[in-house]
Amino acid sequence: KDFKDYSFTNLNPKDEQVYTEALGEQVSNEKGEAEFVVNLTKYQSNLFSLSLGLEGFESEGGRSVRAGVTTWVSPLDFILGAKADGDLNFISKNAERNLQIIAIDSDVKMIPAENLTVQTIERKSVSVLTQGDDGTYKYQSVVKETPVSESAFKVAAKGSKIKIDTSKPGDYTLVFKNS
């Protein structure tokens, strides 16, 4: 299945980091295959993007070919993806906007997901007075997150639609959690 129109997001973006690991050299078998063992357990993340860059050389001439691949990796039973039916950066008041939510398992197949909650969080920038290291005071903008609503949610095997409330202006985030 093709999920290129869906967005998949790390469950804890505060943990986002970039790691680089050299895998060493391998000699391919007669079919041109080589196997690399990568220990992913040391990376503490719910969802991460794995990018692999490879370079292969001819045994006689030394000419090379380069290739790369990127995939999502997760230790979870499933991950959720969302596809909007329009732009989410700006939505007019009382306009209709929906999200199609899917759950996919480790075999990249759509599955049902039950016992979820969806929480709507309002995000507002507020100015706070802070004291710097040199003792001077200055205003700093910080984002304040306020829960607005929470309800039970489940994803059907073919996905479920959720209608976005556009009756009040503001910056909102939907957070999906296992109950």
Side-chain angles (χ1 to χ4, degrees):
K1 302 225 180 201
D2 188 14
F3 302 112
K4 68 178 180 172
D5 294 333
Y6 286 85
S7 296
F8 298 91
T9 304
N10 188 351
L11 299 175
N12 195 355
K14 296 173 186 163
D15 290 341
E16 286 184 4
Q17 296 179 14
V18 175
Y19 298 97
T20 301
E21 184 173 332
L23 299 177
E25 294 183 12
Q26 293 283 340
V27 177
S28 63
N29 62 21
E30 59 278 349
K31 294 179 186 176
E33 301 169 336
E35 190 171 307
F36 293 91
V37 177
V38 182
N39 180 8
L40 300 177
T41 59
K42 62 184 173 182
Y43 304 114
Q44 300 297 318
S45 180
N46 294 312
L47 174 69
F48 58 92
S49 175
L50 174 67
S51 296
L52 181 63
L54 302 165
E55 184 173 18
F57 294 92
E58 283 185 343
S59 58
E60 306 86 36
R63 291 186 296 179
S64 70
V65 175
R66 292 180 186 213
V69 65
T70 299
T71 188
W72 290 104
V73 178
S74 176
L76 303 173
D77 294 334
F78 64 89
I79 58 174
L80 297 180
K83 178 173 73 171
D85 63 0
D87 186 15
L88 295 177
N89 292 316
F90 178 81
I91 304 171
S92 297
K93 185 175 180 180
N94 296 321
E96 186 166 324
R97 187 71 75 234
N98 298 291
L99 289 176
Q100 180 70 17
I101 307 295
I102 60 170
I104 60 170
D105 65 8
S106 59
D107 294 325
V108 195
K109 292 185 174 135
M110 290 174 56
I111 61 168
E114 297 186 6
N115 301 319
L116 302 173
T117 59
V118 59
Q119 183 180 46
T120 302
I121 297 174
E122 184 176 18
R123 298 171 42 95
K124 286 184 182 179
S125 289
V126 295
S127 294
V128 295
L129 188 61
T130 60
Q131 185 176 13
D133 293 337
D134 61 359
T136 59
Y137 290 93
K138 62 181 178 180
Y139 283 97
Q140 180 179 346
S141 289
V142 295
V143 176
K144 179 181 177 186
E145 294 185 344
T146 307
V148 175
S149 67
E150 186 170 312
S151 60
F153 188 74
K154 65 181 179 179
V155 179
K158 295 190 179 204
S160 296
K161 188 176 2 178
I162 188 167
K163 184 176 181 177
I164 299 174
D165 180 7
T166 60
S167 63
K168 297 179 189 170
D171 184 10
Y172 296 92
T173 300
L174 295 179
V175 177
F176 295 85
K177 299 178 184 178
N178 282 329
S179 296

